[in-house]
Amino acid sequence: MKRNGLLKVAVLLLAAGAVSGGETPREHGLVGLRPLPRTEEMSKIEWMDGIGYYEKDCTTNDFIAAHTDVLMDYKGAFRTNLQFFEHYLPTDRKWIDTDHETNPLIQQIVLHEKEGWEVEHILICREARLLGKGDLGPIKEDGRILCQRDVDDYRKVFKAAYEKGLVNKPDYKLIQMVEHTSAFMNTPEARKIVRSMDGICYESHQFNRHWPYETGWTNPDDLARGAKWTLAQGLEYIFYYGPFIYKDSPGYYEFAERDWLYGYWKAGLPKHHPKMHYYLNAFPHAHGDNRPVGPESNPHSYMGMTKWLIEEIKGKQNN
């Protein structure tokens, strides 16, 4: 075969998502989990009391221990080394610290990598609106979106920290956490900023302004539109789902959390795409603080919910 023909084949393989080592390209995204409470000590905190904890309830033999792809902070019995975490820009200054020796995000990465983690996604935003202090980003419809200077400065800091041997990678995936389902795609300035990042993360709680499904803030059609646009740009999309209501919450009905996801999928939210990820924010918020951690044989537990989601996204898996 001529050289040009070989180049064309290589380009096609890369476009199809082929990976080295002869592995089959992934047909679905990652399933992630924010597991809380983790330890017995943490489970004694009043708002997490009595629901169990992952250090006791999740064992190496559990399905979710083998098949959960990404975790926030906690390892326990899980087999994966992939990690995600949230990071908020400082509220006491306008711009980030560009010194790679003192930058808080670099320090966070260093800490996790020393513990053996591979940082997969950094969910990042300006959180001034929720915290009531600090600076909002430039997009009035969604103040969480970073300034272009923020993104550019982080890329420089990552590179400098890598060159000094502080971190394992020359760059990291900055996933923009947003509060609006589609504002990030509605203006040229917003589109330019998020295209310079690595993806979008949309949080969908099952209470406050997100509740109920029919009239809540997470409009299914807008949600699907924003996710499809993101994937069409070659970016990654994380649907960060939770916290969830449970039995004592007004409006609760059995498997409400699954019903909502079925509704989003029906509206067109992509389900099986290599860059479409589903992360469960299994945080025992006051609206669902009596939902048990496990066991995974209990379909109402956080572990049971995670098992269900893995099988929905990745299909039946061999343990």
Side-chain angles (χ1 to χ4, degrees):
M1 185 181 291
K2 293 182 179 180
R3 182 174 181 272
N4 287 343
L6 289 172
L7 287 173
K8 288 180 180 179
V9 170
V11 169
L12 288 172
L13 287 173
L14 288 171
V19 293
S20 62
E23 297 177 18
T24 303
R26 193 174 65 215
E27 297 179 352
H28 53 74
L30 305 173
V31 175
L33 176 65
R34 182 187 187 185
L36 284 170
R38 303 162 193 154
T39 64
E40 181 178 13
E41 182 179 6
M42 186 179 285
S43 72
K44 293 176 182 177
I45 299 173
E46 183 178 356
W47 54 273
M48 292 191 285
D49 181 51
I51 65 172
Y53 52 96
Y54 284 88
E55 197 171 82
K56 174 178 67 70
D57 290 341
C58 185
T59 72
T60 55
N61 293 324
D62 283 310
F63 179 91
I64 71 165
H67 300 293
T68 300
D69 298 303
V70 197
L71 296 166
M72 182 172 177
D73 297 334
Y74 173 75
K75 174 72 170 178
F78 292 89
R79 299 182 192 176
T80 183
N81 286 322
L82 294 184
Q83 183 185 59
F84 76 95
F85 57 82
E86 301 175 11
H87 185 78
Y88 304 103
L89 267 68
T91 57
D92 59 347
R93 55 187 295 168
K94 175 67 176 178
W95 304 111
I96 71 165
D97 180 1
T98 56
D99 184 341
H100 60 274
E101 297 281 354
T102 56
N103 179 276
L105 180 52
I106 294 298
Q107 292 177 339
Q108 195 172 0
I109 294 171
V110 169
L111 176 64
H112 294 316
E113 290 183 338
K114 283 184 177 178
E115 293 176 348
W117 291 103
E118 178 182 345
V119 177
E120 179 67 17
H121 292 131
I122 300 170
L123 313 186
I124 193 167
C125 70
R126 284 182 173 264
E127 195 68 313
R129 198 190 314 279
L130 181 63
L131 297 177
K133 59 181 180 179
D135 293 293
L136 295 171
I139 310 304
K140 64 179 182 179
E141 297 86 358
D142 193 334
R144 275 187 157 189
I145 296 176
L146 272 56
C147 301
Q148 187 63 61
R149 175 174 167 177
D150 298 327
V151 182
D152 296 342
D153 283 350
Y154 274 124
R155 300 297 188 201
K156 293 174 184 176
V157 172
F158 289 153
K159 183 179 180 182
Y162 175 74
E163 289 175 349
K164 291 294 184 179
L166 296 178
V167 297
N168 295 341
K169 301 177 184 179
D171 203 2
Y172 289 84
K173 294 179 183 178
L174 294 174
I175 308 297
Q176 175 66 64
M177 292 178 69
V178 296
E179 58 184 357
H180 192 280
T181 52
S182 56
F184 57 85
M185 57 174 283
N186 290 338
T187 66
E189 183 180 10
R191 290 194 294 269
K192 179 178 180 293
I193 293 168
V194 299
R195 281 176 178 147
S196 72
M197 301 177 73
D198 299 282
I200 293 291
C201 170
Y202 178 74
E203 291 184 277
S204 181
H205 306 317
Q206 206 172 36
F207 57 92
N208 66 19
R209 60 187 178 183
H210 294 267
W211 180 272
Y213 174 88
E214 295 80 6
T215 57
W217 218 47
T218 306
N219 179 279
D221 293 329
D222 286 342
L223 176 68
R225 188 166 67 94
K228 289 177 179 178
W229 180 89
T230 303
L231 297 174
Q233 311 309 304
L235 303 173
E236 301 188 51
Y237 192 95
I238 297 173
F239 187 61
Y240 196 23
Y241 190 35
F244 311 95
I245 63 170
Y246 198 46
K247 292 179 180 179
D248 292 342
S249 300
Y252 173 79
Y253 58 92
E254 188 173 54
F255 295 131
E257 68 285 342
R258 304 186 188 196
D259 193 39
W260 277 35
L261 266 181
Y262 286 135
Y264 294 142
W265 290 329
K266 185 177 180 181
L269 182 68
K271 186 176 182 181
H272 304 298
H273 186 288
K275 292 188 176 184
M276 178 76 200
H277 315 300
Y278 286 86
Y279 288 2
L280 289 180
N281 189 0
F283 186 93
H285 190 274
H287 294 272
D289 60 2
N290 58 348
R291 184 186 293 274
V293 166
E296 68 178 27
S297 58
N298 175 2
H300 296 286
S301 71
Y302 286 117
M303 289 175 58
M305 190 190 311
T306 305
K307 182 176 187 294
W308 166 81
L309 181 62
I310 291 169
E311 292 182 329
E312 285 287 331
I313 301 303
K314 300 166 66 172
K316 298 293 182 180
Q317 305 288 305
N318 295 322
N319 208 346

Coordinates of all heavy atoms in Angstrom, one line a residue, residues 37-71:
P37 N -20.9 7.9 53.1 CA -19.7 8.1 53.8 C -18.7 6.9 53.6 O -19.1 5.8 53.2 CB -20.2 8.1 55.3 CG -21.4 7.2 55.3 CD -22.1 7.5 54.0
R38 N -17.5 7.2 53.8 CA -16.4 6.2 53.4 C -16.0 5.4 54.6 O -15.8 4.2 54.4 CB -15.2 7.0 52.9 CG -15.5 7.9 51.7 CD -14.4 8.9 51.5 NE -14.8 10.0 50.6 CZ -14.3 11.2 50.6 NH1 -13.4 11.5 51.5 NH2 -14.8 12.1 49.8
T39 N -15.9 6.0 55.7 CA -15.4 5.3 56.9 C -16.3 5.2 58.1 O -17.3 6.0 58.1 CB -14.1 5.9 57.4 OG1 -14.4 7.3 57.8 CG2 -13.1 6.0 56.2
E40 N -16.0 4.4 59.0 CA -16.9 4.4 60.2 C -16.9 5.7 60.9 O -18.0 6.2 61.4 CB -16.4 3.3 61.2 CG -17.2 3.2 62.5 CD -16.7 2.1 63.4 OE1 -15.5 1.6 63.2 OE2 -17.4 1.7 64.3
E41 N -15.8 6.4 61.0 CA -15.7 7.7 61.7 C -16.6 8.7 60.9 O -17.3 9.4 61.5 CB -14.3 8.2 61.7 CG -14.1 9.5 62.4 CD -12.6 10.0 62.4 OE1 -11.8 9.3 61.8 OE2 -12.4 11.0 63.1
M42 N -16.5 8.7 59.6 CA -17.3 9.6 58.8 C -18.8 9.3 59.0 O -19.7 10.2 59.0 CB -16.9 9.5 57.3 CG -17.6 10.5 56.4 SD -17.1 10.4 54.7 CE -15.5 11.1 54.8
S43 N -19.2 8.0 59.2 CA -20.6 7.6 59.3 C -21.2 8.1 60.6 O -22.4 8.0 60.7 CB -20.7 6.1 59.1 OG -20.2 5.4 60.3
K44 N -20.4 8.5 61.5 CA -20.9 9.0 62.8 C -21.3 10.5 62.8 O -21.9 11.0 63.7 CB -19.9 8.8 63.9 CG -19.6 7.3 64.2 CD -18.5 7.1 65.2 CE -18.2 5.6 65.4 NZ -17.1 5.4 66.4
I45 N -21.0 11.1 61.7 CA -21.4 12.5 61.5 C -22.9 12.5 61.4 O -23.5 11.7 60.7 CB -20.8 13.1 60.2 CG1 -19.3 13.2 60.4 CG2 -21.3 14.5 60.0 CD1 -18.6 13.6 59.1
E46 N -23.6 13.4 62.1 CA -25.0 13.4 62.3 C -25.8 13.2 61.0 O -26.7 12.3 60.9 CB -25.5 14.7 63.0 CG -27.0 14.7 63.3 CD -27.4 16.0 64.0 OE1 -26.5 16.8 64.3 OE2 -28.6 16.1 64.2
W47 N -25.5 13.9 60.0 CA -26.3 13.8 58.7 C -26.0 12.6 57.9 O -26.6 12.3 56.9 CB -26.2 15.1 57.9 CG -24.8 15.5 57.6 CD1 -24.0 16.3 58.3 CD2 -24.0 15.2 56.4 NE1 -22.8 16.5 57.7 CE2 -22.8 15.8 56.5 CE3 -24.3 14.4 55.3 CZ2 -21.8 15.7 55.6 CZ3 -23.3 14.3 54.3 CH2 -22.1 14.9 54.5
M48 N -25.0 11.8 58.3 CA -24.7 10.5 57.6 C -24.9 9.3 58.6 O -24.5 8.2 58.2 CB -23.3 10.5 57.1 CG -23.1 11.5 55.9 SD -21.5 11.4 55.0 CE -20.4 12.1 56.2
D49 N -25.4 9.5 59.7 CA -25.5 8.5 60.8 C -26.5 7.4 60.4 O -27.6 7.7 59.9 CB -25.9 9.1 62.1 CG -26.0 8.1 63.2 OD1 -25.0 7.3 63.4 OD2 -27.0 8.1 63.9
G50 N -26.1 6.2 60.5 CA -27.1 5.1 60.4 C -27.3 4.5 59.0 O -28.1 3.6 58.8
I51 N -26.6 5.0 58.0 CA -26.8 4.5 56.6 C -25.7 3.5 56.2 O -25.8 3.0 55.1 CB -26.9 5.7 55.6 CG1 -25.6 6.4 55.5 CG2 -28.1 6.6 56.0 CD1 -25.6 7.5 54.4
G52 N -24.7 3.3 57.0 CA -23.6 2.4 56.7 C -22.5 3.2 56.1 O -22.6 4.4 56.0
Y53 N -21.5 2.5 55.6 CA -20.3 3.2 55.0 C -19.6 2.2 54.1 O -19.6 1.0 54.3 CB -19.4 3.8 56.1 CG -19.0 2.8 57.1 CD1 -17.7 2.2 57.1 CD2 -19.8 2.6 58.3 CE1 -17.3 1.4 58.1 CE2 -19.3 1.7 59.3 CZ -18.1 1.1 59.2 OH -17.7 0.2 60.1
Y54 N -18.9 2.8 53.1 CA -18.3 2.0 52.0 C -17.2 1.1 52.5 O -17.0 0.0 52.0 CB -17.8 2.9 50.9 CG -18.9 3.4 50.0 CD1 -19.6 4.6 50.4 CD2 -19.3 2.7 48.9 CE1 -20.6 5.0 49.6 CE2 -20.4 3.2 48.1 CZ -21.0 4.3 48.4 OH -22.0 4.8 47.7
E55 N -16.4 1.5 53.5 CA -15.3 0.7 54.0 C -15.8 -0.7 54.6 O -15.1 -1.7 54.5 CB -14.6 1.4 55.1 CG -13.2 0.9 55.5 CD -12.5 1.8 56.4 OE1 -12.7 1.8 57.6 OE2 -11.7 2.6 55.9
K56 N -17.1 -0.7 55.0 CA -17.7 -1.9 55.6 C -18.6 -2.6 54.5 O -18.5 -3.8 54.4 CB -18.5 -1.6 56.8 CG -19.3 -2.8 57.4 CD -20.1 -2.4 58.6 CE -21.2 -1.4 58.3 NZ -22.3 -2.0 57.5
D57 N -19.4 -1.8 53.8 CA -20.4 -2.4 52.9 C -19.9 -2.8 51.5 O -20.5 -3.7 50.9 CB -21.5 -1.4 52.7 CG -22.3 -1.2 54.0 OD1 -22.2 -2.1 54.9 OD2 -23.0 -0.2 54.1
C58 N -18.8 -2.2 51.1 CA -18.3 -2.5 49.7 C -17.1 -3.4 49.8 O -16.1 -3.0 50.4 CB -18.0 -1.3 48.9 SG -17.5 -1.6 47.2
T59 N -17.1 -4.6 49.3 CA -16.0 -5.5 49.3 C -15.4 -5.8 47.9 O -16.0 -5.4 46.9 CB -16.4 -6.9 49.9 OG1 -17.2 -7.6 49.0 CG2 -17.2 -6.7 51.2
T60 N -14.3 -6.4 47.9 CA -13.6 -6.6 46.6 C -14.4 -7.6 45.7 O -14.2 -7.6 44.5 CB -12.2 -7.2 46.8 OG1 -12.3 -8.4 47.6 CG2 -11.3 -6.2 47.5
N61 N -15.3 -8.3 46.3 CA -16.2 -9.3 45.5 C -17.4 -8.6 44.9 O -18.1 -9.2 44.1 CB -16.6 -10.4 46.4 CG -15.4 -11.3 46.9 OD1 -14.5 -11.5 46.1 ND2 -15.5 -11.8 48.1
D62 N -17.7 -7.4 45.3 CA -18.9 -6.7 44.8 C -18.7 -6.3 43.3 O -17.6 -6.0 42.8 CB -19.2 -5.5 45.6 CG -19.8 -5.8 46.9 OD1 -20.8 -6.6 46.9 OD2 -19.4 -5.3 48.0
F63 N -19.8 -6.4 42.6 CA -19.9 -6.0 41.2 C -19.4 -4.6 41.0 O -18.6 -4.3 40.1 CB -21.3 -6.1 40.7 CG -21.6 -5.8 39.3 CD1 -21.5 -6.8 38.3 CD2 -21.9 -4.5 38.9 CE1 -21.7 -6.4 37.0 CE2 -22.1 -4.2 37.6 CZ -22.0 -5.1 36.6
I64 N -19.8 -3.7 41.8 CA -19.4 -2.3 41.6 C -17.9 -2.0 41.9 O -17.3 -1.1 41.3 CB -20.3 -1.3 42.4 CG1 -20.0 -1.4 43.9 CG2 -21.8 -1.5 42.1 CD1 -20.6 -0.2 44.7
A65 N -17.4 -2.9 42.8 CA -15.9 -2.7 43.0 C -15.1 -3.0 41.8 O -14.1 -2.5 41.5 CB -15.5 -3.7 44.2
A66 N -15.6 -4.0 41.0 CA -14.9 -4.4 39.8 C -15.2 -3.5 38.6 O -14.3 -3.3 37.7 CB -15.3 -5.8 39.4
H67 N -16.4 -2.9 38.5 CA -16.8 -2.2 37.3 C -17.1 -0.7 37.3 O -17.5 -0.1 36.3 CB -18.1 -3.0 36.7 CG -17.8 -4.4 36.5 ND1 -17.0 -4.8 35.4 CD2 -18.3 -5.5 37.1 CE1 -16.9 -6.1 35.4 NE2 -17.7 -6.6 36.4
T68 N -16.9 -0.1 38.5 CA -17.0 1.3 38.6 C -15.7 1.9 38.0 O -14.6 1.4 38.4 CB -17.2 1.8 40.0 OG1 -18.4 1.3 40.5 CG2 -17.2 3.4 40.1
D69 N -15.8 2.9 37.1 CA -14.6 3.3 36.4 C -13.8 4.4 37.1 O -12.6 4.4 37.0 CB -15.0 3.8 35.0 CG -15.6 2.7 34.1 OD1 -15.0 1.7 33.9 OD2 -16.8 2.9 33.7
V70 N -14.5 5.3 37.7 CA -13.9 6.5 38.2 C -14.5 6.8 39.6 O -15.7 6.7 39.8 CB -14.1 7.8 37.3 CG1 -13.1 8.9 37.6 CG2 -14.0 7.4 35.8
L71 N -13.6 7.3 40.5 CA -14.1 7.6 41.9 C -13.6 9.0 42.3 O -12.7 9.5 41.8 CB -13.4 6.6 42.9 CG -13.8 5.1 42.7 CD1 -12.9 4.3 43.5 CD2 -15.3 4.9 43.2

